[in-house]
PDB file of all heavy atoms in Angstrom:
ATOM      1  N   GLY A   6      -8.421  14.109  -1.495  1.00 69.00           N
ATOM      2  CA  GLY A   6      -7.321  14.809  -2.136  1.00 69.00           C
ATOM      3  C   GLY A   6      -5.948  14.447  -1.597  1.00 69.00           C
ATOM      4  O   GLY A   6      -4.981  15.114  -1.885  1.00 69.00           O
ATOM      5  N   VAL A   7      -5.864  13.376  -0.802  1.00 75.00           N
ATOM      6  CA  VAL A   7      -4.575  12.959  -0.249  1.00 75.00           C
ATOM      7  C   VAL A   7      -3.903  12.029  -1.234  1.00 75.00           C
ATOM      8  O   VAL A   7      -4.343  10.909  -1.442  1.00 75.00           O
ATOM      9  CB  VAL A   7      -4.748  12.228   1.105  1.00 75.00           C
ATOM     10  CG1 VAL A   7      -3.411  11.763   1.638  1.00 75.00           C
ATOM     11  CG2 VAL A   7      -5.430  13.128   2.110  1.00 75.00           C
ATOM     12  N   LYS A   8      -2.871  12.512  -1.866  1.00 73.00           N
ATOM     13  CA  LYS A   8      -2.112  11.691  -2.791  1.00 73.00           C
ATOM     14  C   LYS A   8      -0.728  12.287  -2.960  1.00 73.00           C
ATOM     15  O   LYS A   8      -0.480  13.440  -2.617  1.00 73.00           O
ATOM     16  CB  LYS A   8      -2.812  11.568  -4.132  1.00 73.00           C
ATOM     17  CG  LYS A   8      -2.974  12.882  -4.877  1.00 73.00           C
ATOM     18  CD  LYS A   8      -3.632  12.658  -6.215  1.00 73.00           C
ATOM     19  CE  LYS A   8      -3.625  13.953  -7.007  1.00 73.00           C
ATOM     20  NZ  LYS A   8      -4.052  13.768  -8.377  1.00 73.00           N
ATOM     21  N   HIS A   9       0.159  11.507  -3.502  1.00 75.00           N
ATOM     22  CA  HIS A   9       1.527  11.929  -3.749  1.00 75.00           C
ATOM     23  C   HIS A   9       1.539  13.044  -4.792  1.00 75.00           C
ATOM     24  O   HIS A   9       0.738  13.034  -5.724  1.00 75.00           O
ATOM     25  CB  HIS A   9       2.331  10.725  -4.244  1.00 75.00           C
ATOM     26  CG  HIS A   9       3.802  10.940  -4.287  1.00 75.00           C
ATOM     27  ND1 HIS A   9       4.422  11.575  -5.332  1.00 75.00           N
ATOM     28  CD2 HIS A   9       4.773  10.617  -3.408  1.00 75.00           C
ATOM     29  CE1 HIS A   9       5.722  11.614  -5.118  1.00 75.00           C
ATOM     30  NE2 HIS A   9       5.957  11.042  -3.944  1.00 75.00           N
ATOM     31  N   LYS A  10       2.440  13.992  -4.645  1.00 79.00           N
ATOM     32  CA  LYS A  10       2.478  15.131  -5.579  1.00 79.00           C
ATOM     33  C   LYS A  10       2.760  14.696  -7.017  1.00 79.00           C
ATOM     34  O   LYS A  10       2.395  15.390  -7.953  1.00 79.00           O
ATOM     35  CB  LYS A  10       3.511  16.150  -5.117  1.00 79.00           C
ATOM     36  CG  LYS A  10       4.915  15.615  -5.078  1.00 79.00           C
ATOM     37  CD  LYS A  10       5.901  16.611  -4.511  1.00 79.00           C
ATOM     38  CE  LYS A  10       7.277  15.976  -4.425  1.00 79.00           C
ATOM     39  NZ  LYS A  10       8.220  16.774  -3.717  1.00 79.00           N
ATOM     40  N   SER A  11       3.390  13.538  -7.211  1.00 81.00           N
ATOM     41  CA  SER A  11       3.668  13.040  -8.562  1.00 81.00           C
ATOM     42  C   SER A  11       2.543  12.186  -9.119  1.00 81.00           C
ATOM     43  O   SER A  11       2.640  11.685 -10.233  1.00 81.00           O
ATOM     44  CB  SER A  11       4.956  12.214  -8.552  1.00 81.00           C
ATOM     45  OG  SER A  11       6.048  13.010  -8.190  1.00 81.00           O
ATOM     46  N   ASN A  12       1.483  11.992  -8.364  1.00 81.00           N
ATOM     47  CA  ASN A  12       0.374  11.140  -8.795  1.00 81.00           C
ATOM     48  C   ASN A  12      -0.573  11.938  -9.676  1.00 81.00           C
ATOM     49  O   ASN A  12      -1.370  12.723  -9.201  1.00 81.00           O
ATOM     50  CB  ASN A  12      -0.359  10.587  -7.570  1.00 81.00           C
ATOM     51  CG  ASN A  12      -1.390   9.551  -7.929  1.00 81.00           C
ATOM     52  OD1 ASN A  12      -1.883   9.507  -9.046  1.00 81.00           O
ATOM     53  ND2 ASN A  12      -1.732   8.719  -6.961  1.00 81.00           N
ATOM     54  N   LYS A  13      -0.487  11.714 -10.972  1.00 79.00           N
ATOM     55  CA  LYS A  13      -1.336  12.443 -11.916  1.00 79.00           C
ATOM     56  C   LYS A  13      -2.633  11.683 -12.227  1.00 79.00           C
ATOM     57  O   LYS A  13      -3.562  12.234 -12.770  1.00 79.00           O
ATOM     58  CB  LYS A  13      -0.564  12.708 -13.193  1.00 79.00           C
ATOM     59  CG  LYS A  13       0.651  13.596 -12.937  1.00 79.00           C
ATOM     60  CD  LYS A  13       1.321  14.006 -14.215  1.00 79.00           C
ATOM     61  CE  LYS A  13       2.537  14.860 -14.042  1.00 79.00           C
ATOM     62  NZ  LYS A  13       3.061  15.108 -12.753  1.00 79.00           N
ATOM     63  N   SER A  14      -2.703  10.421 -11.851  1.00 84.00           N
ATOM     64  CA  SER A  14      -3.869   9.606 -12.196  1.00 84.00           C
ATOM     65  C   SER A  14      -4.991   9.692 -11.174  1.00 84.00           C
ATOM     66  O   SER A  14      -6.098   9.272 -11.441  1.00 84.00           O
ATOM     67  CB  SER A  14      -3.450   8.133 -12.327  1.00 84.00           C
ATOM     68  OG  SER A  14      -3.103   7.606 -11.058  1.00 84.00           O
ATOM     69  N   ASN A  15      -4.699  10.203  -9.989  1.00 84.00           N
ATOM     70  CA  ASN A  15      -5.637  10.251  -8.864  1.00 84.00           C
ATOM     71  C   ASN A  15      -6.051   8.854  -8.407  1.00 84.00           C
ATOM     72  O   ASN A  15      -7.059   8.674  -7.759  1.00 84.00           O
ATOM     73  CB  ASN A  15      -6.872  11.090  -9.174  1.00 84.00           C
ATOM     74  CG  ASN A  15      -7.526  11.599  -7.898  1.00 84.00           C
ATOM     75  OD1 ASN A  15      -6.841  12.037  -6.986  1.00 84.00           O
ATOM     76  ND2 ASN A  15      -8.831  11.519  -7.810  1.00 84.00           N
ATOM     77  N   LEU A  16      -5.258   7.830  -8.757  1.00 90.00           N
ATOM     78  CA  LEU A  16      -5.475   6.476  -8.281  1.00 90.00           C
ATOM     79  C   LEU A  16      -4.424   6.140  -7.228  1.00 90.00           C
ATOM     80  O   LEU A  16      -3.270   6.552  -7.353  1.00 90.00           O
ATOM     81  CB  LEU A  16      -5.381   5.466  -9.417  1.00 90.00           C
ATOM     82  CG  LEU A  16      -6.459   5.546 -10.482  1.00 90.00           C
ATOM     83  CD1 LEU A  16      -6.154   4.549 -11.605  1.00 90.00           C
ATOM     84  CD2 LEU A  16      -7.840   5.270  -9.901  1.00 90.00           C
ATOM     85  N   VAL A  17      -4.831   5.408  -6.220  1.00 92.00           N
ATOM     86  CA  VAL A  17      -3.889   4.930  -5.208  1.00 92.00           C
ATOM     87  C   VAL A  17      -4.157   3.451  -4.957  1.00 92.00           C
ATOM     88  O   VAL A  17      -5.265   2.964  -5.162  1.00 92.00           O
ATOM     89  CB  VAL A  17      -4.002   5.712  -3.873  1.00 92.00           C
ATOM     90  CG1 VAL A  17      -3.550   7.149  -4.039  1.00 92.00           C
ATOM     91  CG2 VAL A  17      -5.406   5.653  -3.311  1.00 92.00           C
ATOM     92  N   ALA A  18      -3.129   2.752  -4.512  1.00 94.00           N
ATOM     93  CA  ALA A  18      -3.291   1.345  -4.158  1.00 94.00           C
ATOM     94  C   ALA A  18      -4.096   1.238  -2.875  1.00 94.00           C
ATOM     95  O   ALA A  18      -4.028   2.105  -1.999  1.00 94.00           O
ATOM     96  CB  ALA A  18      -1.930   0.689  -3.991  1.00 94.00           C
ATOM     97  N   LEU A  19      -4.863   0.180  -2.774  1.00 94.00           N
ATOM     98  CA  LEU A  19      -5.643  -0.096  -1.568  1.00 94.00           C
ATOM     99  C   LEU A  19      -5.480  -1.573  -1.249  1.00 94.00           C
ATOM    100  O   LEU A  19      -5.559  -2.422  -2.136  1.00 94.00           O
ATOM    101  CB  LEU A  19      -7.119   0.223  -1.804  1.00 94.00           C
ATOM    102  CG  LEU A  19      -8.060  -0.117  -0.645  1.00 94.00           C
ATOM    103  CD1 LEU A  19      -7.823   0.834   0.525  1.00 94.00           C
ATOM    104  CD2 LEU A  19      -9.500  -0.047  -1.097  1.00 94.00           C
ATOM    105  N   VAL A  20      -5.241  -1.873   0.018  1.00 95.00           N
ATOM    106  CA  VAL A  20      -5.105  -3.251   0.471  1.00 95.00           C
ATOM    107  C   VAL A  20      -6.346  -3.631   1.266  1.00 95.00           C
ATOM    108  O   VAL A  20      -6.724  -2.930   2.198  1.00 95.00           O
ATOM    109  CB  VAL A  20      -3.858  -3.420   1.368  1.00 95.00           C
ATOM    110  CG1 VAL A  20      -3.759  -4.856   1.881  1.00 95.00           C
ATOM    111  CG2 VAL A  20      -2.595  -3.029   0.636  1.00 95.00           C
ATOM    112  N   ASN A  21      -6.961  -4.744   0.904  1.00 93.00           N
ATOM    113  CA  ASN A  21      -8.053  -5.286   1.696  1.00 93.00           C
ATOM    114  C   ASN A  21      -7.401  -6.108   2.811  1.00 93.00           C
ATOM    115  O   ASN A  21      -6.813  -7.161   2.539  1.00 93.00           O
ATOM    116  CB  ASN A  21      -8.962  -6.169   0.843  1.00 93.00           C
ATOM    117  CG  ASN A  21     -10.095  -6.771   1.635  1.00 93.00           C
ATOM    118  OD1 ASN A  21     -10.011  -6.951   2.840  1.00 93.00           O
ATOM    119  ND2 ASN A  21     -11.161  -7.108   0.935  1.00 93.00           N
ATOM    120  N   PRO A  22      -7.451  -5.641   4.060  1.00 93.00           N
ATOM    121  CA  PRO A  22      -6.749  -6.333   5.145  1.00 93.00           C
ATOM    122  C   PRO A  22      -7.276  -7.737   5.425  1.00 93.00           C
ATOM    123  O   PRO A  22      -6.568  -8.559   6.009  1.00 93.00           O
ATOM    124  CB  PRO A  22      -6.948  -5.418   6.350  1.00 93.00           C
ATOM    125  CG  PRO A  22      -8.162  -4.619   6.033  1.00 93.00           C
ATOM    126  CD  PRO A  22      -8.202  -4.480   4.540  1.00 93.00           C
ATOM    127  N   ASN A  23      -8.474  -8.035   4.975  1.00 91.00           N
ATOM    128  CA  ASN A  23      -9.016  -9.378   5.173  1.00 91.00           C
ATOM    129  C   ASN A  23      -8.452 -10.377   4.182  1.00 91.00           C
ATOM    130  O   ASN A  23      -8.529 -11.587   4.400  1.00 91.00           O
ATOM    131  CB  ASN A  23     -10.540  -9.364   5.091  1.00 91.00           C
ATOM    132  CG  ASN A  23     -11.150  -8.678   6.280  1.00 91.00           C
ATOM    133  OD1 ASN A  23     -10.807  -8.979   7.417  1.00 91.00           O
ATOM    134  ND2 ASN A  23     -12.023  -7.729   6.041  1.00 91.00           N
ATOM    135  N   ASP A  24      -7.880  -9.893   3.080  1.00 91.00           N
ATOM    136  CA  ASP A  24      -7.314 -10.781   2.071  1.00 91.00           C
ATOM    137  C   ASP A  24      -5.795 -10.760   2.029  1.00 91.00           C
ATOM    138  O   ASP A  24      -5.179 -11.525   1.295  1.00 91.00           O
ATOM    139  CB  ASP A  24      -7.858 -10.414   0.686  1.00 91.00           C
ATOM    140  CG  ASP A  24      -9.343 -10.714   0.548  1.00 91.00           C
ATOM    141  OD1 ASP A  24      -9.822 -11.630   1.240  1.00 91.00           O
ATOM    142  OD2 ASP A  24     -10.017 -10.027  -0.227  1.00 91.00           O
ATOM    143  N   CYS A  25      -5.157  -9.908   2.802  1.00 92.00           N
ATOM    144  CA  CYS A  25      -3.694  -9.784   2.798  1.00 92.00           C
ATOM    145  C   CYS A  25      -3.074 -10.947   3.570  1.00 92.00           C
ATOM    146  O   CYS A  25      -3.467 -11.237   4.702  1.00 92.00           O
ATOM    147  CB  CYS A  25      -3.284  -8.458   3.437  1.00 92.00           C
ATOM    148  SG  CYS A  25      -1.492  -8.205   3.529  1.00 92.00           S
ATOM    149  N   THR A  26      -2.107 -11.605   2.942  1.00 89.00           N
ATOM    150  CA  THR A  26      -1.416 -12.725   3.589  1.00 89.00           C
ATOM    151  C   THR A  26      -0.168 -12.270   4.337  1.00 89.00           C
ATOM    152  O   THR A  26       0.443 -13.065   5.037  1.00 89.00           O
ATOM    153  CB  THR A  26      -0.988 -13.783   2.558  1.00 89.00           C
ATOM    154  OG1 THR A  26      -0.053 -13.199   1.659  1.00 89.00           O
ATOM    155  CG2 THR A  26      -2.185 -14.335   1.799  1.00 89.00           C
ATOM    156  N   GLY A  27       0.237 -11.017   4.154  1.00 90.00           N
ATOM    157  CA  GLY A  27       1.461 -10.538   4.786  1.00 90.00           C
ATOM    158  C   GLY A  27       2.714 -11.039   4.093  1.00 90.00           C
ATOM    159  O   GLY A  27       3.766 -11.151   4.707  1.00 90.00           O
ATOM    160  N   CYS A  28       2.631 -11.321   2.806  1.00 89.00           N
ATOM    161  CA  CYS A  28       3.760 -11.921   2.073  1.00 89.00           C
ATOM    162  C   CYS A  28       4.916 -10.951   1.834  1.00 89.00           C
ATOM    163  O   CYS A  28       6.013 -11.372   1.526  1.00 89.00           O
ATOM    164  CB  CYS A  28       3.292 -12.497   0.745  1.00 89.00           C
ATOM    165  SG  CYS A  28       2.936 -11.260  -0.526  1.00 89.00           S
ATOM    166  N   HIS A  29       4.675  -9.666   1.918  1.00 90.00           N
ATOM    167  CA  HIS A  29       5.699  -8.624   1.796  1.00 90.00           C
ATOM    168  C   HIS A  29       6.075  -8.296   0.353  1.00 90.00           C
ATOM    169  O   HIS A  29       6.907  -7.431   0.097  1.00 90.00           O
ATOM    170  CB  HIS A  29       6.958  -9.019   2.589  1.00 90.00           C
ATOM    171  CG  HIS A  29       7.809  -7.854   2.981  1.00 90.00           C
ATOM    172  ND1 HIS A  29       8.787  -7.334   2.162  1.00 90.00           N
ATOM    173  CD2 HIS A  29       7.827  -7.107   4.100  1.00 90.00           C
ATOM    174  CE1 HIS A  29       9.379  -6.318   2.766  1.00 90.00           C
ATOM    175  NE2 HIS A  29       8.808  -6.155   3.951  1.00 90.00           N
ATOM    176  N   THR A  30       5.488  -8.931  -0.640  1.00 92.00           N
ATOM    177  CA  THR A  30       5.861  -8.686  -2.036  1.00 92.00           C
ATOM    178  C   THR A  30       5.592  -7.241  -2.446  1.00 92.00           C
ATOM    179  O   THR A  30       6.412  -6.623  -3.129  1.00 92.00           O
ATOM    180  CB  THR A  30       5.123  -9.649  -2.981  1.00 92.00           C
ATOM    181  OG1 THR A  30       5.397 -10.990  -2.567  1.00 92.00           O
ATOM    182  CG2 THR A  30       5.567  -9.459  -4.422  1.00 92.00           C
ATOM    183  N   CYS A  31       4.475  -6.678  -2.024  1.00 94.00           N
ATOM    184  CA  CYS A  31       4.168  -5.287  -2.379  1.00 94.00           C
ATOM    185  C   CYS A  31       5.220  -4.336  -1.799  1.00 94.00           C
ATOM    186  O   CYS A  31       5.613  -3.363  -2.445  1.00 94.00           O
ATOM    187  CB  CYS A  31       2.769  -4.898  -1.918  1.00 94.00           C
ATOM    188  SG  CYS A  31       2.426  -5.182  -0.171  1.00 94.00           S
ATOM    189  N   PHE A  32       5.711  -4.619  -0.598  1.00 94.00           N
ATOM    190  CA  PHE A  32       6.776  -3.809   0.003  1.00 94.00           C
ATOM    191  C   PHE A  32       8.028  -3.858  -0.868  1.00 94.00           C
ATOM    192  O   PHE A  32       8.694  -2.844  -1.072  1.00 94.00           O
ATOM    193  CB  PHE A  32       7.143  -4.345   1.395  1.00 94.00           C
ATOM    194  CG  PHE A  32       6.167  -4.010   2.484  1.00 94.00           C
ATOM    195  CD1 PHE A  32       5.005  -4.735   2.638  1.00 94.00           C
ATOM    196  CD2 PHE A  32       6.433  -2.982   3.372  1.00 94.00           C
ATOM    197  CE1 PHE A  32       4.116  -4.443   3.662  1.00 94.00           C
ATOM    198  CE2 PHE A  32       5.548  -2.677   4.393  1.00 94.00           C
ATOM    199  CZ  PHE A  32       4.389  -3.410   4.539  1.00 94.00           C
ATOM    200  N   ASP A  33       8.360  -5.059  -1.344  1.00 93.00           N
ATOM    201  CA  ASP A  33       9.573  -5.234  -2.143  1.00 93.00           C
ATOM    202  C   ASP A  33       9.494  -4.539  -3.491  1.00 93.00           C
ATOM    203  O   ASP A  33      10.500  -4.048  -4.008  1.00 93.00           O
ATOM    204  CB  ASP A  33       9.838  -6.725  -2.368  1.00 93.00           C
ATOM    205  CG  ASP A  33      10.138  -7.461  -1.069  1.00 93.00           C
ATOM    206  OD1 ASP A  33      10.568  -6.810  -0.087  1.00 93.00           O
ATOM    207  OD2 ASP A  33       9.944  -8.691  -1.037  1.00 93.00           O
ATOM    208  N   LEU A  34       8.304  -4.483  -4.084  1.00 93.00           N
ATOM    209  CA  LEU A  34       8.146  -3.903  -5.415  1.00 93.00           C
ATOM    210  C   LEU A  34       7.962  -2.389  -5.423  1.00 93.00           C
ATOM    211  O   LEU A  34       8.328  -1.725  -6.384  1.00 93.00           O
ATOM    212  CB  LEU A  34       6.945  -4.538  -6.122  1.00 93.00           C
ATOM    213  CG  LEU A  34       7.067  -6.009  -6.492  1.00 93.00           C
ATOM    214  CD1 LEU A  34       5.746  -6.515  -7.050  1.00 93.00           C
ATOM    215  CD2 LEU A  34       8.187  -6.212  -7.492  1.00 93.00           C
ATOM    216  N   CYS A  35       7.390  -1.831  -4.387  1.00 95.00           N
ATOM    217  CA  CYS A  35       6.987  -0.421  -4.385  1.00 95.00           C
ATOM    218  C   CYS A  35       8.190   0.529  -4.438  1.00 95.00           C
ATOM    219  O   CYS A  35       9.033   0.517  -3.547  1.00 95.00           O
ATOM    220  CB  CYS A  35       6.159  -0.112  -3.143  1.00 95.00           C
ATOM    221  SG  CYS A  35       5.576   1.597  -3.122  1.00 95.00           S
ATOM    222  N   PRO A  36       8.242   1.383  -5.468  1.00 95.00           N
ATOM    223  CA  PRO A  36       9.361   2.322  -5.575  1.00 95.00           C
ATOM    224  C   PRO A  36       9.255   3.521  -4.631  1.00 95.00           C
ATOM    225  O   PRO A  36      10.223   4.251  -4.458  1.00 95.00           O
ATOM    226  CB  PRO A  36       9.306   2.783  -7.040  1.00 95.00           C
ATOM    227  CG  PRO A  36       7.871   2.630  -7.421  1.00 95.00           C
ATOM    228  CD  PRO A  36       7.361   1.450  -6.642  1.00 95.00           C
ATOM    229  N   THR A  37       8.090   3.721  -4.002  1.00 93.00           N
ATOM    230  CA  THR A  37       7.934   4.880  -3.113  1.00 93.00           C
ATOM    231  C   THR A  37       7.734   4.501  -1.655  1.00 93.00           C
ATOM    232  O   THR A  37       7.446   5.360  -0.827  1.00 93.00           O
ATOM    233  CB  THR A  37       6.736   5.749  -3.562  1.00 93.00           C
ATOM    234  OG1 THR A  37       5.538   4.973  -3.493  1.00 93.00           O
ATOM    235  CG2 THR A  37       6.945   6.283  -4.967  1.00 93.00           C
ATOM    236  N   ASP A  38       7.872   3.214  -1.341  1.00 95.00           N
ATOM    237  CA  ASP A  38       7.722   2.751   0.050  1.00 95.00           C
ATOM    238  C   ASP A  38       6.402   3.208   0.664  1.00 95.00           C
ATOM    239  O   ASP A  38       6.366   3.697   1.792  1.00 95.00           O
ATOM    240  CB  ASP A  38       8.894   3.215   0.916  1.00 95.00           C
ATOM    241  CG  ASP A  38      10.215   2.632   0.464  1.00 95.00           C
ATOM    242  OD1 ASP A  38      10.230   1.437   0.091  1.00 95.00           O
ATOM    243  OD2 ASP A  38      11.221   3.351   0.471  1.00 95.00           O
ATOM    244  N   CYS A  39       5.322   3.049  -0.076  1.00 95.00           N
ATOM    245  CA  CYS A  39       4.023   3.514   0.433  1.00 95.00           C
ATOM    246  C   CYS A  39       3.330   2.493   1.325  1.00 95.00           C
ATOM    247  O   CYS A  39       2.331   2.805   1.947  1.00 95.00           O
ATOM    248  CB  CYS A  39       3.110   3.941  -0.706  1.00 95.00           C
ATOM    249  SG  CYS A  39       2.418   2.603  -1.690  1.00 95.00           S
ATOM    250  N   PHE A  40       3.871   1.277   1.420  1.00 96.00           N
ATOM    251  CA  PHE A  40       3.240   0.241   2.246  1.00 96.00           C
ATOM    252  C   PHE A  40       3.802   0.268   3.661  1.00 96.00           C
ATOM    253  O   PHE A  40       4.996   0.451   3.865  1.00 96.00           O
ATOM    254  CB  PHE A  40       3.439  -1.140   1.623  1.00 96.00           C
ATOM    255  CG  PHE A  40       2.693  -1.311   0.337  1.00 96.00           C
ATOM    256  CD1 PHE A  40       3.319  -1.052  -0.875  1.00 96.00           C
ATOM    257  CD2 PHE A  40       1.372  -1.700   0.321  1.00 96.00           C
ATOM    258  CE1 PHE A  40       2.631  -1.192  -2.072  1.00 96.00           C
ATOM    259  CE2 PHE A  40       0.678  -1.842  -0.866  1.00 96.00           C
ATOM    260  CZ  PHE A  40       1.301  -1.585  -2.068  1.00 96.00           C
ATOM    261  N   VAL A  41       2.916   0.093   4.625  1.00 96.00           N
ATOM    262  CA  VAL A  41       3.294   0.008   6.036  1.00 96.00           C
ATOM    263  C   VAL A  41       2.559  -1.187   6.641  1.00 96.00           C
ATOM    264  O   VAL A  41       1.573  -1.667   6.077  1.00 96.00           O
ATOM    265  CB  VAL A  41       2.948   1.307   6.810  1.00 96.00           C
ATOM    266  CG1 VAL A  41       3.750   2.484   6.291  1.00 96.00           C
ATOM    267  CG2 VAL A  41       1.462   1.615   6.741  1.00 96.00           C
ATOM    268  N   TRP A  42       3.042  -1.658   7.781  1.00 95.00           N
ATOM    269  CA  TRP A  42       2.387  -2.767   8.466  1.00 95.00           C
ATOM    270  C   TRP A  42       1.352  -2.265   9.439  1.00 95.00           C
ATOM    271  O   TRP A  42       1.516  -1.215  10.042  1.00 95.00           O
ATOM    272  CB  TRP A  42       3.406  -3.602   9.246  1.00 95.00           C
ATOM    273  CG  TRP A  42       4.330  -4.405   8.405  1.00 95.00           C
ATOM    274  CD1 TRP A  42       5.693  -4.253   8.322  1.00 95.00           C
ATOM    275  CD2 TRP A  42       4.015  -5.486   7.532  1.00 95.00           C
ATOM    276  NE1 TRP A  42       6.214  -5.175   7.450  1.00 95.00           N
ATOM    277  CE2 TRP A  42       5.207  -5.943   6.947  1.00 95.00           C
ATOM    278  CE3 TRP A  42       2.825  -6.105   7.180  1.00 95.00           C
ATOM    279  CZ2 TRP A  42       5.247  -7.000   6.050  1.00 95.00           C
ATOM    280  CZ3 TRP A  42       2.862  -7.161   6.273  1.00 95.00           C
ATOM    281  CH2 TRP A  42       4.063  -7.596   5.725  1.00 95.00           C
ATOM    282  N   GLU A  43       0.299  -3.039   9.605  1.00 93.00           N
ATOM    283  CA  GLU A  43      -0.679  -2.753  10.648  1.00 93.00           C
ATOM    284  C   GLU A  43      -1.194  -4.088  11.189  1.00 93.00           C
ATOM    285  O   GLU A  43      -0.990  -5.143  10.584  1.00 93.00           O
ATOM    286  CB  GLU A  43      -1.830  -1.887  10.148  1.00 93.00           C
ATOM    287  CG  GLU A  43      -2.795  -2.538   9.223  1.00 93.00           C
ATOM    288  CD  GLU A  43      -3.962  -1.618   8.876  1.00 93.00           C
ATOM    289  OE1 GLU A  43      -3.883  -0.401   9.052  1.00 93.00           O
ATOM    290  OE2 GLU A  43      -4.961  -2.156   8.410  1.00 93.00           O
ATOM    291  N   ASP A  44      -1.843  -4.031  12.328  1.00 90.00           N
ATOM    292  CA  ASP A  44      -2.362  -5.247  12.954  1.00 90.00           C
ATOM    293  C   ASP A  44      -3.444  -5.885  12.093  1.00 90.00           C
ATOM    294  O   ASP A  44      -4.187  -5.195  11.391  1.00 90.00           O
ATOM    295  CB  ASP A  44      -2.950  -4.941  14.326  1.00 90.00           C
ATOM    296  CG  ASP A  44      -1.884  -4.558  15.339  1.00 90.00           C
ATOM    297  OD1 ASP A  44      -0.709  -4.938  15.143  1.00 90.00           O
ATOM    298  OD2 ASP A  44      -2.220  -3.880  16.312  1.00 90.00           O
ATOM    299  N   VAL A  45      -3.534  -7.187  12.173  1.00 88.00           N
ATOM    300  CA  VAL A  45      -4.596  -7.921  11.497  1.00 88.00           C
ATOM    301  C   VAL A  45      -5.925  -7.488  12.114  1.00 88.00           C
ATOM    302  O   VAL A  45      -6.023  -7.351  13.338  1.00 88.00           O
ATOM    303  CB  VAL A  45      -4.392  -9.442  11.681  1.00 88.00           C
ATOM    304  CG1 VAL A  45      -5.572 -10.226  11.141  1.00 88.00           C
ATOM    305  CG2 VAL A  45      -3.110  -9.883  11.012  1.00 88.00           C
ATOM    306  N   PRO A  46      -6.951  -7.242  11.295  1.00 86.00           N
ATOM    307  CA  PRO A  46      -8.246  -6.842  11.851  1.00 86.00           C
ATOM    308  C   PRO A  46      -8.768  -7.872  12.848  1.00 86.00           C
ATOM    309  O   PRO A  46      -8.706  -9.072  12.595  1.00 86.00           O
ATOM    310  CB  PRO A  46      -9.160  -6.749  10.633  1.00 86.00           C
ATOM    311  CG  PRO A  46      -8.262  -6.658   9.452  1.00 86.00           C
ATOM    312  CD  PRO A  46      -6.987  -7.331   9.834  1.00 86.00           C
ATOM    313  N   ALA A  47      -9.276  -7.392  13.948  1.00 86.00           N
ATOM    314  CA  ALA A  47      -9.781  -8.283  14.999  1.00 86.00           C
ATOM    315  C   ALA A  47     -10.973  -9.110  14.513  1.00 86.00           C
ATOM    316  O   ALA A  47     -11.196 -10.223  14.982  1.00 86.00           O
ATOM    317  CB  ALA A  47     -10.174  -7.467  16.220  1.00 86.00           C
TER     318      ALA A  47
END
């Protein structure tokens, strides 16, 4: 049940950390700044 109060679809974006290149495009496009950085999986 963790979602933004304006989220009526109950869908959220999910990043597969094994496939993320760190290109930053999702950060640039997101209107709600929901993306954050984390360490590459060991």
Side-chain angles (χ1 to χ4, degrees):
V7 178
K8 63 178 187 171
H9 191 278
K10 62 185 177 189
S11 297
N12 188 337
K13 297 187 181 7
S14 69
N15 203 43
L16 294 175
V17 293
L19 176 70
V20 178
N21 179 335
N23 290 310
D24 292 332
C25 179
T26 63
C28 75
H29 203 273
T30 304
C31 54
F32 284 80
D33 295 337
L34 293 174
C35 182
T37 61
D38 297 320
C39 73
F40 292 94
V41 296
W42 290 116
E43 71 175 18
D44 291 337
V45 173

